Each structure stands twice: as structure tokens, then as C-alpha cells.
Amino acid sequence: MKKILMIGGILVFFFAFCNIAFAKEDTLSSGWTGHGLYLLGDENISLNKVDINILVNDDRTSLVFAEYELENKQNKMVNAYLGVPEHEVNLQEFESRVTRKIQNDILSYRYGNYKVSGQEINKRIKRSDANYKGWRTWYAPFEPGEKRTVKISYKVENKEISNGRYLISFQLEHINTWKGNPKNIHVKVFFDNQEVKPYNFGNTFSIKPDSIQDNFTLNWNLDSLQKDQSIDFDYYYIDQEINNFLKSATSSKLKSIARAYESKEYSQVIEQGKKYIEDSKGENFQKEVYFLMADAYLQLGQPEESLILYELIEGEPIFYKGFQQKVQEFITYNKIKCYLQKEDYKTMYRLILKIQEDKTYNFIFKDWAKKETKEIPIETIKQVEKENREPNVVEKLYLRISNGKHNNIMMIILGVFLFLMSVFYIRYKRKKEKNTLFKK
């Protein structure tokens, strides 16, 4: 009995280990949260304007550049104590600068900052119940009535919160702790990756952007803020995640295909992919290889081959659990590009309309797809919309009859109609003959 229990325990441990080693499971993390500038005291300094810029890099890091226009409302000089929370993340390359206007020049001075425990700072903040672990702090002098712009910048590592999913977040509640009521609050998020696509974004946005510019730059223009409000959205490093997944496989052939794909050697991807499919004989990762080959064909200007491969794998489980929707969005994005290359505008427009109705696609993807309609001839759009128009009652009946429906009913109606016509005709003829007879 003991031997059986021991063997069972070993098997349980073995399978548990296998699951850890070979299955990519969700990881628990709060992601990272960027923080802005606080006044660590009760001086009469007002916040007039805020500009926050966040650059999301393709190496899973983000850079924060923020500017705060401050004004000393007192009739005396104030040495303001300023700070930025350093909470649960390391603020790398942190820098603080304060501008000063001297005659017609605006000079920017770099201020040294110190790491201070949260216990010393949290209680200093007015109108907030902040409880941060640490702070970066410094002093900056303000002349009576003087306006100065405080500039901060730092770098943080983005943290994965589930399979391939990262939280990009910036806390805005610090703005409400200042005196004054700034109406000019601008937040802009850029993406360093030149190949950022609509499928990189998730469905979760705490505050929807006011506009989306080129390269998917997101803009927020805010007049007021509610308590504990923040800019939060999900971001997926799809291309890197796909490459890392395949390069982590034990097969040297798969690693070689992944390296060729990462290097954009698309001819090699197709050549090696064909060889892998031919030699694999039903082994794993065939669908993943087809996925890379389909993208490679599109990049080489062969959309027909790309669409054939997508037909083989679309809707199939591919890569790992929790990543399926993003893979589907990747395929949909490429299919639109394929139809555009083929000049199959009708199919392209129908797919775009389908995306608009599908709740699984985020509004950024839908916005991109809608903008792609500018590539479609207006005649094609009108034709598809005419074909999609809901027919009226008469048109519906005609369509149903032309499709062979209601044949029996129509034969009965036609028979009754002909019978009635015959009766009326006979009656009409007899009446006419009778009238003719009386005339004679």
C-alpha cells in the first residue's frame, strides 16, 4: 500500500512538473502603475496645466515624460517640496527638472532627487489617503507670483498580468491633490514599435481616448477628474510572444523557422516551413508553422497562398490557451490586407462590416478597419450595401417564391384565381348575350 501511495505521489509530482514546464499559465501581477507629481506640503502653489506623455517600447518597458505648470500664489518666496511615488516598481533613470524664465529665455535646471520612505512622506499629502512604499523627492524655490514648469521622466518595466497581456497604467488621482482646478490635462500614449497593429490592444480601457492618431497614438483631453481615476488599458506584445513561444520549443527546426520569421527572412520561413510540414508527419506545431507561413506569403505579395493557409487554421486552437482571440485578430488583420492586395474589395468590405458588429473586437481595431474602407471603390460599397439592404414585404415574397418556397400555396391561389376569372367571364358573356337579345 505504501509503495502504491509513493508511486502515485511521484506520478502526481511528475505531471504537475510537466504542466509547469510545458503549459504557459496565467501569472498573477498588478502590472505597473505610473505616478505623477505631488506637492508635499501646504504651500499656496497651484497647478495650472498638465501634460503627460507615455512611450510604450517594444522591449516591454515604458518611458514617462510629464510636465506640470505650477504657480506660486503667495506674496513671498516658497521653497516647494515636490515628489513622485516609487511604489511596487523601480523608477529607472529618474530625472527631475524645473524651468525658470530669465528675461526672454526659459532655462531648465536639473534637480537632484532622493529616495525617501513612504512613512515619512504619505502623511504630508493633503486631500489624499496615499499609502506608497517610497518616494523620489526634491525642493524647488518659487519667487512671489512666479510660474515654473516641473518636468519629470523615468523608465519602468512593464509586467505581464496574464498570457501575453500587459497592463499600461498611469494614476491621475495626484492631480486632485493640488490647489487650483486645472482645465488643461493632456495625456498622450505613443508606441515605439514601428509595427504596432490594432490587434496589440485589449478590450479594457478605463477612460476611452478622445482621438487616435497615426501609428495608434492615443490622446486624452480632460477637464476634470473623479477620485482614484487613472489611464488603464491592456497591451499585447503579439509578435514577440509568438516568436518567444516557438523559440522555446525543443525542436531545432522550429527554432530556425522562428529566427527566420523574427529576422523577416520570409522566403526562408516558407521554405523551412514546407520542409517541417513534410517531415513532421502529424507532429505538434504544424498549425503554428502554417500561421507563420501565411504571414510570410502576405509579406511577399502572395495573398492567395496566405488565404489558403488561413482557411486551414482559422478557428483552430493554436499557440496556447488564453491567446486564441489575439491570434484570430492577427488573422483577421492579415486577411483584410490580403483582400486589399487582391483587389477583392467586396469580400474585404463584408469582412469590415462583420468586424463592426462583433463585440470581441476592441474599438481601436474597429476604428482601424473602418478607416480601411477608404481603399475600397465607392461603387463597391454601394453595391454591397444594396445587397445587404433588408427587402420590403413584396420583395421578400418575390424572393421566397423565386427560391421555390410556397409553390403549393401559389398553385392553389392561382387555381382559385383562374376559377373565379372563369366564373366572372361566363357570367359576363351571358349578360352580354341577354342584353343583345333584348335589343333585337
Side-chain angles (χ1 to χ4, degrees):
M1 184 67 181
K2 289 183 178 179
K3 288 184 177 180
I4 294 173
L5 290 173
M6 183 179 295
I7 293 171
I10 292 172
L11 289 174
V12 170
F13 175 80
F14 174 77
F15 286 117
F17 175 78
C18 287
N19 285 335
I20 294 171
F22 301 111
K24 186 175 176 66
E25 299 294 339
D26 283 0
T27 56
L28 296 176
S29 169
S30 60
W32 71 274
T33 300
H35 291 281
L37 184 70
Y38 284 82
L39 178 65
L40 307 179
D42 197 27
E43 292 86 0
N44 191 16
I45 293 182
S46 294
L47 177 60
N48 297 333
K49 183 181 177 181
V50 181
D51 284 294
I52 299 167
N53 296 310
I54 301 172
L55 175 62
V56 180
N57 298 312
D58 57 6
D59 64 352
R60 293 177 169 83
T61 64
S62 291
L63 297 174
V64 175
F65 304 90
E67 295 186 4
Y68 298 81
E69 184 187 278
L70 308 182
E71 182 179 359
N72 179 13
K73 295 285 190 176
Q74 298 180 105
N75 294 323
K76 63 179 181 179
M77 180 177 174
V78 173
N79 198 22
Y81 192 27
L82 306 170
V84 175
E86 188 167 30
H87 185 71
E88 294 185 350
V89 291
N90 180 30
L91 303 185
Q92 305 170 33
E93 303 169 16
F94 187 93
E95 186 174 283
S96 53
R97 288 182 173 272
V98 185
T99 65
R100 168 157 277 169
K101 185 176 182 180
I102 299 178
Q103 294 180 347
N104 294 325
D105 293 328
I106 297 179
L107 305 178
S108 180
Y109 298 92
R110 183 175 180 177
Y111 280 70
N113 56 82
Y114 302 92
K115 289 188 177 184
V116 182
S117 169
Q119 293 179 351
E120 299 181 29
I121 302 299
N122 292 332
K123 59 187 178 183
R124 288 175 172 264
I125 303 172
K126 307 299 181 182
R127 296 177 291 278
S128 174
D129 54 357
N131 186 24
Y132 300 121
K133 293 181 179 179
W135 289 79
R136 297 292 188 109
T137 66
W138 66 99
Y139 286 92
F142 284 74
E143 299 291 340
E146 183 181 24
K147 292 182 180 179
R148 303 186 72 179
T149 299
V150 177
K151 301 179 180 181
I152 60 171
S153 62
Y154 56 84
K155 177 180 179 180
V156 292
E157 292 183 3
N158 302 334
K159 292 183 180 179
E160 190 175 26
I161 56 177
S162 64
N163 290 337
R165 173 173 164 248
Y166 292 74
L167 174 66
I168 308 301
S169 174
F170 194 90
Q171 183 59 251
L172 299 176
E173 68 116 18
H174 68 285
I175 295 174
N176 286 334
T177 66
W178 285 83
K179 295 180 179 179
N181 186 22
K183 296 293 184 182
N184 298 312
I185 305 169
H186 306 289
V187 181
K188 184 172 287 191
V189 179
F190 306 85
F191 298 89
D192 187 38
N193 183 3
Q194 295 296 319
E195 298 180 0
V196 60
K197 304 292 194 304
Y199 53 73
N200 290 122
F201 300 91
N203 288 3
T204 303
F205 272 80
S206 59
I207 307 175
K208 189 175 180 179
D210 294 301
S211 64
I212 306 171
Q213 295 179 333
D214 294 339
N215 298 321
F216 300 99
T217 297
L218 309 178
N219 292 281
W220 289 265
N221 299 303
L222 307 168
D223 291 331
S224 60
L225 295 169
Q226 299 176 4
K227 183 177 174 61
D228 297 331
Q229 211 163 10
S230 60
I231 299 291
D232 302 312
F233 63 91
D234 294 336
Y235 190 76
Y236 294 76
Y237 290 92
I238 306 297
D239 302 76
Q240 297 95 319
E241 193 71 18
I242 289 169
N243 270 310
N244 292 341
F245 177 81
L246 292 175
K247 286 192 293 186
S248 65
T250 56
S251 169
S252 59
K253 293 179 181 178
L254 273 175
K255 291 181 179 179
S256 179
I257 296 171
R259 285 194 295 269
Y261 182 74
E262 189 175 31
S263 303
K264 299 183 180 181
E265 298 173 3
Y266 298 120
S267 297
Q268 281 295 312
V269 172
I270 295 170
E271 183 180 337
Q272 294 182 38
K274 287 180 177 178
K275 188 72 168 57
Y276 178 86
I277 297 298
E278 183 180 344
D279 297 342
S280 63
K281 298 178 181 179
E283 292 180 8
N284 293 329
F285 303 108
Q286 282 193 345
K287 289 178 288 189
E288 285 77 6
V289 171
Y290 278 137
F291 179 89
L292 298 188
M293 290 174 64
D295 189 37
Y297 273 122
L298 174 60
Q299 303 307 324
L300 293 175
Q302 298 175 257
E304 289 281 2
E305 289 80 357
S306 181
L307 288 169
I308 290 171
L309 291 180
Y310 282 138
E311 286 296 319
L312 291 175
I313 62 175
E314 191 170 14
E316 294 288 326
I318 186 171
F319 295 104
Y320 53 82
K321 182 181 177 182
F323 207 55
Q324 304 304 311
Q325 177 59 31
K326 304 314 294 182
V327 171
Q328 179 57 55
E329 290 178 15
F330 189 114
I331 292 174
T332 302
Y333 175 87
N334 271 7
K335 286 177 72 174
I336 290 177
K337 294 296 183 183
C338 286
Y339 295 135
L340 183 60
Q341 284 191 19
K342 287 180 58 183
E343 297 184 356
D344 185 358
Y345 299 121
K346 181 177 283 190
T347 307
M348 176 181 170
Y349 188 55
R350 290 191 184 281
L351 180 54
I352 290 173
L353 292 177
K354 185 178 179 181
I355 291 168
Q356 302 304 319
E357 297 174 356
D358 193 334
K359 295 181 180 180
T360 60
Y361 289 90
N362 63 67
F363 74 92
I364 293 179
F365 201 110
K366 291 182 178 183
D367 180 77
W368 168 81
K370 187 175 181 180
K371 289 177 180 176
E372 287 297 297
T373 58
K374 70 179 183 297
E375 304 292 340
I376 303 174
I378 189 65
E379 295 80 10
T380 303
I381 293 176
K382 289 181 179 180
Q383 183 181 359
V384 172
E385 290 177 347
K386 182 179 179 181
E387 293 171 358
N388 290 352
R389 182 177 61 84
E390 184 72 19
N392 58 38
V393 176
V394 176
E395 290 172 333
K396 284 182 179 179
L397 181 60
Y398 173 77
L399 289 171
R400 293 178 73 85
I401 293 172
S402 63
N403 290 331
K405 297 181 179 180
H406 306 314
N407 282 347
N408 293 335
I409 297 174
M410 290 305 300
M411 290 299 293
I412 293 171
I413 293 174
L414 181 62
V416 172
F417 176 77
L418 291 174
F419 173 76
L420 292 173
M421 287 296 295
S422 300
V423 171
F424 282 121
Y425 176 74
I426 292 170
R427 291 182 64 182
Y428 170 77
K429 189 174 181 181
R430 287 179 178 176
K431 186 175 181 181
K432 185 176 181 182
E433 289 174 352
K434 186 176 180 180
N435 291 336
T436 305
L437 180 62
F438 283 127
K439 285 181 179 180
K440 289 181 179 179

